Amino acid sequence: MVQRLDDLKETSSQTAGPYVHIGLTPNFAGISGVYAEDLGKRVIEDGVKGERIVVSGKVMDGTGTPLKDALIEIWQADADGLYNSPSETRGRADPKCSGWGRIPVDMADGSFSFETIKPGRVPHPTGKDQAPHITFWIVARGINIGLQTRMYFSDEEAANKEDPILSRIEHQNRVPTLIAEQDRAGYRFDIRIQGHKETIFFDI
Amino acid sequence: MAADDSRPESGAFFARDSTVHPPALTPSYKTSVARSPKHAKLSLGTTLSEMTGPVFGHDLLGDLDNDLILNFAAPGESAIGPRIVVHGRLLDERRRPVPGALIEVWQANAGGRYRHRKESYLAPLDPNFGGCGRVITDDEGHYCFRTIQPGPYPWPNGPNEWRPAHIHFSIFGHGFAQRLITQMYFEGDPLIPRCPIVRTIPDEAAIRRLIAPLDMNHTIPMDARAYKFDIVLRGRRSTLFENRLEGN
C-alpha cells in the first residue's frame, strides 16, 4: 500500500435541462423583477476598442433540427488580445469589453445572434500566437456536459493557417466546422452537434 | 498560503477526470441520442482562453438574490412549500476554497412546476415563486441561499418517469475551463436511483456526491431545515515552476 492522494474529485456534470433560462436568463424566460437585467446580455459597451462585429447562427442536432432550448456562453479576448479576468497577468483588458456573453437561442426558430468586437491574438503556451477566436460553451436539454468549441474567422486565413491548434488537427477536412463565414449580417457560425459536418468539440 | 491567495490564479488546470462525468451518449436519457457528438473530443490542453474566465463582483447582487422565498413574492407574501436553507463550500480538487465565484440556481416550485412557457405539468404555479436565485462565494468559498424544497415531477422520457426533487446549479470558477452545471438532490429521495438523468453518471460514488444530506446543525429552529451541498471544481497548478513544467 502507498499513501493516499487527498485530492478531491470534481463534482459531476448534469444536463442544464429544458428550463435553464429560469436560472441563467430569467428575464428572457418571462420572470421579471428578480434581476434588473439578464447577466451577459452585452459583451461590449459603447466606447469599446476594436472592430464591431455581429455573430449569428444556429445549433443543430443530429437530425439537422435547430435546438430551440440551447444556451450559449462565449468568452473572448479584447482587441489587444487581453482577457478581462483576474487571471490575466499580461496587462489590463479594455474595461468596455467584458469578453463574456450569455446568449439563449430563440425559442421559436433556434437562431442566436450577438454583438461583439473581433478579438486580438492571444499567445499559445508554445509561444506562438493563436489566431483570433471566440470560445463557445453550449448547454441544453440532452447535453450531459457543456460542449466547448471555438469560432475562428474566415477572413483571417494567414493567422488560421499558422494557428497552433488548428494546424495540429489531424482531420483537416473538419477544420472548416470551426470557421465562421462572412455574410451581409456579419459572421455566420452554425454549430452541428452530431452528424454531417459535426463541429469539432474540445476536451479542455 | 496568504501570499499565495493574494495573487491571481493563472495556472493551467488539471486534466478533467472524465470518469466522474456522464458520457455524451446515454440512450436511457433519450434526448441525448441526437444531441451527443459522435466524434471524439479533441484534446486541446489549456491555453489562456480557458485559464482565464469572467469573475463577478459582489456588487452584482441584490438583497434578495439568495432568497427564493421572497425574491419573486408580492410584498408581505412568501413562496409556498417546505422552507429550507441550502449551504456549502465551493472547493477545487486541491481542497482550496474558491472565493468570489458566482453560483446561480433554479428549480421547480413545491408542487414540481417550473415557471416556464414550455412547461405543461398540471401542478399549479405559485404566484409568489419565480424559481431563480444567485449567490457569490465568500473568502472561504462558503455560499448560502434560502428557498422552498422543490417537488418531484413527471417528464416525458418514458411513459411513467419522475424526476427526483432537485435544484439546478450553475457555477463559475476563476477560469472558463471550470464552468460547470450540475443538479443537487435531497437525501432519502427514493426517485434518485430510478432517474435516467442521475444514471447518466457511471460512477456510484460520484452520484452520491450530488446528494445533499440534511444538516440539523444548520437548521433554523421553528423556521427552516438545512441541506449541505459542497461543490468541487477543477483544480489548477499554482506556481510558476509548476506552470513551466507544462510549458506555460
Side-chain angles (χ1 to χ4, degrees), chain B residues 172-189:
Chain B
F172 287 86
H174 296 170
F176 210 53
Q178 288 175 303
R179 194 80 182 82
L180 183 71
I181 283 184
T182 189
Q183 301 182 28
M184 178 200 111
Y185 303 96
F186 292 86
E187 178 184 3
D189 189 336

Side-chain angles (χ1 to χ4, degrees), chain A:
Chain A
M1 288 294 281
V2 298
Q3 294 186 3
R4 283 170 66 100
L5 294 170
D6 68 350
D7 283 1
L8 298 173
K9 292 283 190 190
E10 186 186 11
T11 299
S12 304
S13 173
Q14 289 270 262
T15 181
Y19 308 125
V20 58
H21 317 99
I22 295 173
L24 303 192
T25 53
N27 290 289
F28 173 80
I31 298 171
S32 54
V34 181
Y35 310 146
E37 182 182 86
D38 288 335
L39 202 58
K41 203 172 175 188
R42 289 185 302 266
V43 183
I44 53 171
E45 291 172 39
D46 283 342
V48 69
K49 206 172 131 184
E51 179 195 344
R52 285 194 181 225
I53 59 170
V54 173
V55 177
S56 46
K58 289 187 178 183
V59 184
M60 260 82 71
D61 72 13
T63 73
T65 306
L67 273 62
K68 294 172 183 171
D69 50 12
L71 182 130
I72 296 166
E73 288 184 4
I74 62 119
W75 177 237
Q76 66 165 80
D78 71 4
D80 293 324
L82 293 170
Y83 282 102
N84 198 332
S85 167
S87 303
E88 172 59 86
T89 57
R90 298 167 298 147
R92 191 168 136 73
D94 180 354
K96 306 277 190 194
C97 175
S98 81
W100 177 75
R102 177 180 275 171
I103 308 106
V105 304
D106 187 274
M107 284 193 208
D109 68 5
S111 62
F112 70 83
S113 182
F114 61 93
E115 190 185 11
T116 184
I117 50 120
K118 199 171 188 183
R121 299 183 72 171
V122 176
H124 186 262
T126 55
K128 286 184 185 166
D129 273 342
Q130 302 182 71
H133 64 274
I134 299 176
T135 296
F136 277 61
W137 180 76
I138 303 132
V139 295
R141 175 173 67 101
I143 296 177
N144 287 326
I145 182 165
L147 295 171
Q148 293 260 11
T149 188
R150 286 180 168 202
M151 181 195 117
Y152 291 82
F153 296 84
S154 57
D155 56 336
E156 293 283 347
E157 218 167 320
N160 291 344
K161 198 163 280 181
E162 65 185 23
D163 181 83
I165 287 166
L166 292 181
S167 62
R168 79 164 215 225
I169 294 174
E170 181 187 358
H171 299 108
Q172 283 292 310
N173 58 342
R174 297 188 64 209
V175 169
T177 68
L178 301 178
I179 297 176
E181 296 293 337
Q182 270 180 299
D183 63 18
R184 267 182 317 198
Y187 290 92
R188 174 90 195 173
F189 187 55
D190 288 326
I191 297 160
R192 293 175 178 83
I193 293 179
Q194 185 191 89
H196 182 58
K197 295 187 183 172
E198 180 177 308
T199 300
I200 294 177
F201 296 102
F202 293 99
D203 187 10
I204 64 166

